[in-house]
Amino acid sequence: MEVRLNTKTSVQTDAAPEKSQAQTRLTPMMAQYVEIKTANPDSLLFYRMGDFYELFFEDAEEASRALGITLTKRGKHQGNDIPMCGVPVHAADDYLQKLIRLGYRVSVCEQTEDPAEAKKRGHKSVVRRDVVRLVTAGTLTEDNLLDAGKANFLSALARVKGAGEDGYAIAWIDISTGDFRITGSSRDRLFADIARIDPKELILSESVFYEDDLHPQFEDLALAVSPQPTVMFDSASAEKRLRDYFQIQSLDAYGTFTKAELAAASAALAYVEKTQIGQRPALTPPKRQSAERSLFIDPATRTNLELVRTLSGETSGSLYSAINRTVTGPGARLLGERLMSPLTDPDAINRRLEQVSVFVQQEALADEVRKTLRGSSDVARALGRLALERGGPRDLAAIRDGLDHAMGIKALLLANDIALLSIETEIAGLGQAPIDLFDDLSRTLAEDLPLLSRDGGFVASGVNAELDEMRALRDESRKVIAGLQAEYAELTGVKSLKIRHNNVLGYFVEVTSANSEALTSSEGRETFIHRQTMANAMRFTTNALADLESRIANAAGRALQIELADFERLRSIVVEQGAALKEVAGALARVDVAISLSVLATEQGYVRPIVDDSLAFTVAAGRHPVVEQMLRKQAQDPFVANDCDLSPESGSGGKAGLLRLLTGPNMGGKSTFLRQNALIAILAQMGSFVPAGSAHVGVVDRLFSRVGAADDLARGRSTFMVEMVETAAILNQAGERSLVILDEIGRGTATFDGLSIAWAAIEHLHEINKCRTLFATHYHELTALSDQLDRMSNVTMRVREWEGEVIFMHEVVLGAADRSYGIQVARLAGLPGAVIERARHVLEQLEETERSKPAAMMIDDLPLFSVAPQAEPKKLAENPAVEMLRTAEPDEMTPRDALEFVYALRKAVSETKN
């Protein structure tokens, strides 16, 4: 579903008249609102008033519709009611989440001074307020606004003029974890790179956004697209912004970047600073990713293969859902990232595969480590919130628990006899855990923690003597007073001495007049100070009692003050140790992914593929990972495995892969076979075992899949036009290292047009692209090409016919299909019997017509829509069994008559056969 940003939230004539007129007609508070709203015109303004965020004017009307909340009014402006609605502060995150999902941006406006300070300026002075944060889809940090298993990237796209088609770059940041990466791009792969990153929000310059040939594609993106002023993407000032943010003298330590890459990275930082308003996320230094390092998968292929979401937008049913066995949020995010960006370096791929192999072989160790991982926290996101001063005590606890699990997992790995070289990076990362920080957090934090630091109670007892005293005064003031009373009674010898309290004197010591001498004597006056004489009693105070009274009155505030100081101390240490903590978080995620893939392999019977830099593609007994699991869950027949060999023939010198032309009936399994081989390539290159008996995959640099069809009416494209656009992209971009999956090219137009296009496409793929190709078709005439194209061969989906029924075997075998069984499929779909019979009759006549006969003459010869010939019914009438059925009267039969009729019918059928 397309998500577009709402940009019609500015206060216009009603809310932003000329200042003099506004001031005369708006209250001071509403004037303040209009001023702040005018400075933030492209977002909804959450204006803090007490325990509510209020919205006014058009913002209120928009929010009321979007959130389904009641629209009210507050005062008048220019004679009209001012629309108003609001959401409670304590539930604001829920409303923010809904607004962000609908494509809105929200400015959060808070009180920035104490109301008491405002009163000093005058009775009618308005408390100062200001926007403290701009909430957008790509800048979320709160747990309840984020999906724990999915990254939340903000992407910035930059273009440098004069650099030609390659003058593009994309930077992406997840401020919830601090990830910061950059890649160069080009015009032809721009949208493929955006799809690979899968951001939640994309910013780009207005000049690029509104380019004629790019604008429609940006409009089609299913994410929040935010055009920004072109000056934000200025490459001249980009390097300085990066150096200032990371407080370094030179970017050389981070690598060499192009002008476009620097512009993209700088724009991403500028947008983060703009939305976070004074807060600095704990970002890692920008890491450059080479575009050639990842398998190129265009957007159409990603959609067709349903890698992380299905065609309907659901996660369930996708490849990601089928292979995800991770037990932590960071692990799930890393798995998704690897699935979206499979590698093209065989060495890097095999390092990942070796890690999976280690845990497949060490199943008991994998189970033990996995149990520990289940309790692991999300260190990276906890660190991100603490760096932005949005974290709480539970985030500190998440850091503590993450460090605890990291040290425990490192000990488990080192204590077992495993191939340490394969996971040395992970062990090194786990070893970055700062022990002193862990000890400090463990010692300081209490067992039960509040969500917010301002609630207090998160520092453990025994950590700070003053805090313990303040808590005692706050929580046990009666006990403390009783102790002091006993002390004074013993000192004076007056057993009836009492310490009492009232609202006038506060705490005081009271004795009867008869016992007052002990307190009024010269010795007593050194401690006790006379306050009040009553008819039968005298009241005193002491310096200690006055001090105690003051401390009791301020105990709660002082206790919170001490705790907040401890929180800030720990928060600062955590942020200082951010780099080490990110290493720990990364190692935990990588271990989770490696073990989850080993669990998947063991559970589903996957094998380790051979991955190298050859052009091989040989899969024995391959299966579709999603369909296989679905069949198993539904207790249906097991998935039928099939082989696929697209490797260069031995005599070809290994310079070009094979082209397999796949024919066969609908519902025979062609599309499943095509997709499963594409998915096996992706799984192998992301570093996973694959659903097959064995597999040898020479690294694929570009994967193209055109399976299925859909129109694009919004852009004036028919189904056939979309098919041709996608086919053109494949024929123009595929090379020798590519893997191409094509299904039913040319079926959307006239028969001979389509056949001609498919014919020419096959020749081009064979002679020009020379890529490994699976080409499925219903045009049986194309099978003749195998006699002319030396690297092409025919395979088909095996079927059987039994007593007029077609049975789909779902097996791929050598050879070509001689028919499509479309009428049988139509009958299974429930078409009326008359239509099926008519179709059979037309098909027979078509098959009898010579192939060379012009199509128009063929149609002229067909008695279209005429009544079927009568000869066939006459033949049926000659069958005595049919005649018996025609004349039978079931309603007139007794049970015995019916049984005898069945026997007679059976006899008639037998005699007819003989």
Side-chain angles (χ1 to χ4, degrees):
M1 174 179 146
E2 181 184 352
V3 179
R4 305 302 315 148
L5 283 179
N6 178 281
T7 57
K8 298 180 180 179
T9 58
S10 59
V11 178
Q12 299 174 358
T13 55
D14 280 346
E18 293 185 5
K19 189 171 182 180
S20 60
Q21 186 180 11
Q23 296 301 326
T24 59
R25 300 201 179 187
L26 293 172
T27 64
M29 188 200 71
M30 290 306 300
Q32 182 191 62
Y33 171 85
V34 169
E35 180 181 359
I36 296 172
K37 175 62 192 179
T38 303
N40 298 273
D42 295 330
S43 59
L44 298 176
L45 181 62
F46 271 30
Y47 182 81
R48 179 73 177 267
M49 293 177 62
D51 293 332
F52 278 78
Y53 286 119
E54 303 289 3
L55 300 97
F56 300 96
F57 297 102
E58 287 188 359
D59 279 11
E61 294 171 347
E62 289 273 359
S64 174
R65 286 192 295 269
L67 299 174
I69 56 179
T70 302
L71 185 67
T72 60
K73 58 187 178 180
R74 181 186 178 100
K76 289 184 178 292
H77 177 53
Q78 294 182 345
N80 299 317
D81 292 332
I82 299 176
M84 180 184 83
C85 68
V87 301
V89 170
H90 72 271
D93 283 352
D94 294 334
Y95 293 101
L96 277 174
Q97 184 179 49
K98 186 171 183 180
L99 289 171
I100 295 303
R101 285 179 176 173
L102 291 172
Y104 291 92
R105 294 143 52 96
V106 179
S107 296
V108 180
C109 178
E110 298 281 1
Q111 295 178 183
T112 56
E113 73 170 341
D114 191 295
E117 293 298 316
K119 287 184 179 179
K120 294 178 182 178
R121 298 195 305 273
H123 179 67
K124 293 185 178 180
S125 295
V126 179
V127 175
R128 289 195 183 98
R129 293 177 176 85
D130 206 349
V131 172
V132 298
R133 180 186 175 195
L134 176 60
V135 184
T136 71
T139 58
L140 304 176
T141 57
E142 292 81 357
D143 259 349
N144 52 348
L145 299 183
L146 294 168
D147 186 330
K150 294 180 181 178
N152 199 77
F153 288 125
L154 162 73
S155 280
L157 167 64
R159 181 192 61 188
V160 173
K161 290 186 176 180
E165 293 293 309
D166 295 328
Y168 293 84
I170 303 173
W172 62 103
I173 294 174
D174 187 341
I175 68 169
S176 72
T177 62
D179 287 346
F180 188 3
R181 280 168 277 181
I182 311 172
T183 187
S185 190
S186 58
R187 188 67 160 256
D188 66 334
R189 65 176 295 144
L190 185 60
F191 291 94
D193 286 334
I194 293 172
R196 172 174 62 85
I197 296 165
D198 197 23
K200 294 296 185 293
E201 183 176 5
L202 174 69
I203 64 168
L204 70 169
S205 70
E206 293 170 337
S207 59
V208 174
F209 179 73
Y210 289 110
E211 275 198 10
D212 291 342
D213 57 338
L214 292 177
H215 183 68
Q217 297 180 74
F218 288 126
E219 288 285 340
D220 285 348
L221 292 175
L223 54 98
V225 179
S226 307
Q228 300 294 314
T230 302
V231 68
M232 184 183 285
F233 297 82
D234 179 25
S235 61
S237 60
E239 184 173 347
K240 183 178 185 304
R241 184 187 296 277
L242 286 162
R243 284 192 280 106
D244 290 347
Y245 191 92
F246 291 101
Q247 299 178 351
I248 55 175
Q249 294 297 317
S250 171
L251 293 178
D252 292 345
Y254 298 158
T256 303
F257 304 101
T258 65
K259 280 189 174 182
E261 290 169 346
L262 290 173
S266 173
L269 280 183
Y271 193 72
V272 167
E273 291 175 331
K274 174 183 176 181
T275 57
Q276 302 313 297
I277 308 179
Q279 301 298 331
R280 292 170 60 89
L283 302 179
T284 59
K287 183 178 180 182
R288 188 176 187 274
Q289 285 190 353
S290 170
E292 291 71 30
R293 184 176 179 270
S294 299
L295 171 60
F296 175 92
I297 309 174
D298 65 9
T301 298
R302 289 183 187 276
T303 300
N304 290 334
L305 295 179
E306 301 179 307
L307 298 184
V308 295
R309 61 185 70 89
T310 63
L311 295 175
S312 62
E314 303 283 335
T315 299
S316 177
S318 67
L319 177 61
Y320 173 79
S321 176
I323 69 170
N324 184 14
R325 301 293 186 276
T326 57
V327 294
T328 68
R333 296 197 297 269
L334 181 60
L335 180 71
E337 181 182 329
R338 289 186 177 182
L339 180 58
M340 293 294 278
S341 302
L343 301 177
T344 55
D345 178 3
D347 292 336
I349 294 168
N350 281 299
R351 282 195 294 271
R352 290 183 181 178
L353 290 171
E354 184 59 31
Q355 291 179 356
V356 180
S357 294
V358 165
F359 290 113
V360 167
Q361 295 161 11
Q362 299 278 342
E363 192 172 347
L365 171 63
D367 287 343
E368 196 170 356
V369 173
R370 200 166 188 238
K371 288 177 183 176
T372 305
L373 277 169
R374 284 186 187 279
S376 181
S377 53
D378 198 333
V379 172
R381 283 189 169 169
L383 172 62
R385 286 188 291 273
L386 290 166
L388 287 167
E389 298 184 13
R390 294 183 196 138
R394 295 178 188 176
D395 291 306
L396 292 176
I399 301 293
R400 176 199 64 197
D401 296 343
L403 295 175
D404 187 24
H405 290 105
M407 292 184 289
I409 290 171
K410 179 185 176 184
L412 282 172
L413 296 176
L414 292 175
N416 285 267
D417 183 19
I418 61 173
L420 294 180
L421 286 178
S422 66
I423 56 170
E424 60 182 354
T425 303
E426 283 62 46
I427 292 176
L430 296 172
Q432 295 292 314
I435 308 301
D436 291 344
L437 174 59
F438 170 73
D439 291 340
D440 197 353
L441 291 169
S442 299
R443 181 179 61 254
T444 304
L445 295 178
E447 187 172 341
D448 294 322
L449 300 173
L451 177 63
L452 303 173
S453 58
R454 65 170 182 252
D455 294 335
F458 54 86
V459 175
S461 299
V463 173
N464 185 304
E466 184 184 3
L467 175 61
D468 291 343
E469 182 184 359
M470 292 300 103
R471 284 176 172 172
L473 287 172
R474 182 195 65 195
D475 303 332
E476 303 177 17
S477 57
R478 290 184 180 181
K479 186 176 179 180
V480 174
I481 292 294
L484 186 61
Q485 177 179 292
E487 179 184 336
Y488 287 162
E490 183 177 354
L491 177 66
T492 60
V494 179
K495 302 300 181 182
S496 60
L497 181 147
K498 302 292 182 185
I499 295 181
R500 302 185 186 277
H501 180 273
N502 65 34
N503 292 331
V504 177
L505 298 180
Y507 286 100
F508 54 88
V509 176
E510 185 176 274
V511 295
T512 62
S513 298
N515 292 321
S516 62
E517 184 177 351
L519 283 70
T520 56
S521 65
S522 58
E523 185 178 350
R525 286 198 299 271
E526 293 178 2
T527 303
F528 298 96
I529 304 169
H530 180 260
R531 293 289 304 277
Q532 190 176 32
T533 299
M534 309 292 291
N536 298 313
M538 294 186 68
R539 294 173 175 173
F540 301 82
T541 189
T542 68
N543 291 330
L545 182 59
D547 180 61
L548 178 61
E549 179 177 10
S550 175
R551 286 188 293 142
I552 289 174
N554 298 319
R558 177 57 183 158
L560 181 58
Q561 187 180 21
I562 294 171
E563 288 200 79
L564 291 176
D566 259 340
F567 178 84
E568 182 56 31
R569 177 183 66 82
L570 291 171
R571 191 194 69 83
S572 298
I573 296 173
V574 165
V575 174
E576 289 172 7
Q577 297 283 350
L581 291 172
K582 286 176 182 176
E583 289 292 331
V584 172
L588 287 171
R590 292 192 296 272
V591 170
D592 187 15
V593 169
I595 292 179
S596 74
L597 290 176
S598 76
V599 170
L600 174 72
T602 302
E603 171 192 299
Q604 299 293 327
Y606 289 8
V607 299
R608 176 173 178 170
I610 298 171
V611 181
D612 55 28
D613 59 1
S614 70
L615 291 178
F617 192 88
T618 306
V619 177
R623 289 126 41 210
H624 192 295
V626 181
V627 176
E628 180 184 35
Q629 291 185 39
M630 179 190 69
L631 292 176
R632 189 177 294 121
K633 287 179 182 177
Q634 296 176 354
Q636 297 185 18
D637 293 337
F639 188 89
V640 178
N642 281 296
D643 300 342
C644 180
D645 187 359
L646 303 176
S647 302
E649 294 177 339
S650 56
S652 69
K655 294 183 179 180
L658 298 182
L659 188 155
R660 300 285 190 184
L661 185 71
L662 176 63
T663 54
N666 287 312
M667 292 183 63
K670 296 197 304 298
S671 294
T672 299
F673 178 70
L674 296 180
R675 285 185 170 95
Q676 76 186 39
N677 286 290
L679 297 181
I680 285 172
I682 289 172
L683 288 172
Q685 291 187 211
M686 70 170 279
S688 169
F689 283 24
V690 298
S694 65
H696 182 185
V697 178
V699 164
V700 177
D701 66 348
R702 289 177 171 239
L703 174 64
F704 298 97
S705 172
R706 213 221 70 77
V707 181
D711 56 36
D712 187 0
L713 298 180
R715 294 171 62 185
R717 291 178 174 180
S718 66
T719 301
F720 180 65
M721 183 61 176
V722 172
E723 174 188 322
M724 289 297 99
V725 168
E726 294 177 2
T727 304
I730 295 172
L731 297 179
N732 288 324
Q733 299 179 49
E736 290 183 355
R737 299 206 69 89
S738 300
L739 176 63
V740 172
I741 308 296
L742 285 166
D743 188 19
E744 302 299 348
I745 296 301
R747 295 291 288 183
T749 186
T751 301
F752 291 147
D753 282 355
L755 175 59
S756 302
I757 292 169
W759 188 295
I762 289 175
E763 290 181 338
H764 195 280
L765 288 164
H766 187 277
E767 299 298 322
I768 307 300
N769 303 110
K770 298 181 179 180
C771 49
R772 294 161 283 184
T773 305
L774 283 172
F775 194 112
T777 185
H778 274 90
Y779 293 129
H780 304 133
E781 297 86 348
L782 296 175
T783 59
L785 281 170
S786 62
D787 296 331
Q788 303 175 25
L789 306 178
D790 59 350
R791 288 182 293 100
M792 173 184 158
S793 59
N794 297 317
V795 291
T796 185
M797 304 304 301
R798 185 179 170 208
V799 296
R800 285 183 180 176
E801 288 189 78
W802 177 256
E803 295 186 349
E805 299 288 336
V806 61
I807 301 173
F808 303 108
M809 307 303 293
H810 303 295
E811 294 179 13
V812 179
V813 295
L814 291 174
D818 58 355
R819 53 191 300 198
S820 293
Y821 299 95
I823 293 177
Q824 287 86 341
V825 174
R827 185 183 62 78
L828 292 174
L831 265 66
V835 175
I836 296 298
E837 288 304 316
R838 175 61 175 154
R840 289 187 194 277
H841 180 66
V842 171
L843 178 61
E844 288 173 1
Q845 295 195 44
L846 288 172
E847 289 176 342
E848 291 172 0
T849 305
E850 293 182 3
R851 290 174 180 257
S852 59
K853 199 169 187 179
M857 295 177 63
M858 292 167 58
I859 293 174
D860 288 341
D861 287 349
L862 288 173
L864 296 179
F865 307 112
S866 67
V867 179
Q870 298 298 313
E872 205 165 334
K874 289 181 180 179
K875 290 180 181 179
L876 288 174
E878 294 171 3
N879 188 319
V882 173
E883 189 61 31
M884 287 176 65
L885 288 170
R886 191 186 307 280
T887 59
E889 297 289 347
D891 292 339
E892 303 298 325
M893 293 182 184
T894 65
R896 183 179 183 86
D897 292 338
L899 182 60
E900 290 178 351
F901 178 80
V902 171
Y903 281 114
L905 186 62
R906 180 178 179 184
K907 181 179 179 181
V909 172
S910 299
E911 290 173 350
T912 303
K913 287 185 176 180
N914 294 333

